[in-house]
Amino acid sequence: FPLAAVTQRPMFMYHAWGAQNRWLRQIAARNFLYVHPATAAAAGLTDDGWAELRSHVGAMVVPVRLHAGVEPGTVWTWNGIGKRRGTWALDRGAPEGRRGFLLNHLISDVLPKGRDGDYANADPITGQAAWYDLRVSLRRADAPADDASQPQFASLPRAPGMPRR
């Protein structure tokens, strides 16, 4: 897994209680995997193409944007944009649930098996999850038939009292 995967929460999600209001959703209703052009070329990726991102615990297929501001040994995306369908009272077809994604299921709670046994994938002092230790591989993928990031998880049922969408 030659690349480091980094996520960053959008600033408006840190500084606003209403992070999913209508106006902010127009700014960031979906995210992309940002890749340096040289890294993309080595993996056969193109701007607005799709990539398979794989870690030692799983894989996903996500939309790609090329950006020279990303370190060549790194891939980067916004964290907190992707939402599971059926959550946040979003319409079932909302872009956050179709094209938005999180890297969470590529991050294990334990490090890969080693000769000394299992170790938590966390800071040994604070216990904070090791978000910046995620290592991944990258390769070109075909666009999914439904034009949605993969995997897609089943929509959660509507909570009592929530409006129908």
Side-chain angles (χ1 to χ4, degrees), residues 12-31:
F12 62 78
M13 288 186 171
Y14 278 116
H15 301 293
W17 285 105
Q20 286 297 319
N21 73 44
R22 293 177 198 271
W23 299 280
L24 293 175
R25 287 187 59 230
Q26 292 177 45
I27 296 169
R30 62 184 184 145
N31 54 328

Side-chain angles (χ1 to χ4, degrees), residues 112-117 119:
K113 293 280 186 197
R115 61 182 168 85
D116 296 327
Y119 288 97

Side-chain angles (χ1 to χ4, degrees), residues 7 16 26-27 38 40-41 43 56 62 72-73 82 87-88 105 107 115-116 123 136 158:
T7 64
Q26 292 177 45
I27 296 169
H56 75 281
V62 296
T87 62
W88 289 76
H105 71 280
I107 303 170
R115 61 182 168 85
D116 296 327
D123 179 280
V136 296
R158 185 175 61 87

Side-chain angles (χ1 to χ4, degrees), residues 77-100:
T77 191
W78 288 117
N79 187 27
I81 299 297
K83 306 287 186 266
R84 187 169 177 175
R85 288 174 293 137
T87 62
W88 289 76
L90 295 172
D91 182 88
R92 298 228 183 255
E96 294 95 332
R98 291 188 34 73
R99 277 220 149 164

Side-chain angles (χ1 to χ4, degrees), residues 10-154:
M11 292 303 106
F12 62 78
M13 288 186 171
Y14 278 116
H15 301 293
W17 285 105
Q20 286 297 319
N21 73 44
R22 293 177 198 271
W23 299 280
L24 293 175
R25 287 187 59 230
Q26 292 177 45
I27 296 169
R30 62 184 184 145
N31 54 328
F32 297 88
L33 184 70
Y34 292 96
V35 182
H36 188 277
T39 305
L45 301 176
T46 59
D47 199 33
D48 285 326
W50 290 79
E52 179 189 76
L53 192 62
R54 183 174 294 275
S55 75
H56 75 281
V57 296
M60 58 194 313
V61 176
V62 296
V64 171
R65 287 275 169 92
L66 306 187
H67 195 294
V70 177
E71 180 68 28
T74 301
V75 296
W76 177 87
T77 191
W78 288 117
N79 187 27
I81 299 297
K83 306 287 186 266
R84 187 169 177 175
R85 288 174 293 137
T87 62
W88 289 76
L90 295 172
D91 182 88
R92 298 228 183 255
E96 294 95 332
R98 291 188 34 73
R99 277 220 149 164
F101 60 91
L102 297 172
L103 299 184
N104 294 8
H105 71 280
L106 296 184
I107 303 170
S108 175
D109 61 340
V110 294
L111 292 171
K113 293 280 186 197
R115 61 182 168 85
D116 296 327
D118 293 337
Y119 288 97
N121 188 20
D123 179 280
I125 306 302
T126 66
Q128 175 66 39
W131 288 97
Y132 290 99
D133 292 339
L134 178 60
R135 303 295 298 183
V136 296
S137 63
L138 185 66
R139 71 176 186 86
R140 193 190 72 74
D142 292 329
D146 61 356
D147 199 41
S149 62
Q150 301 296 320
Q152 285 287 307
F153 300 101

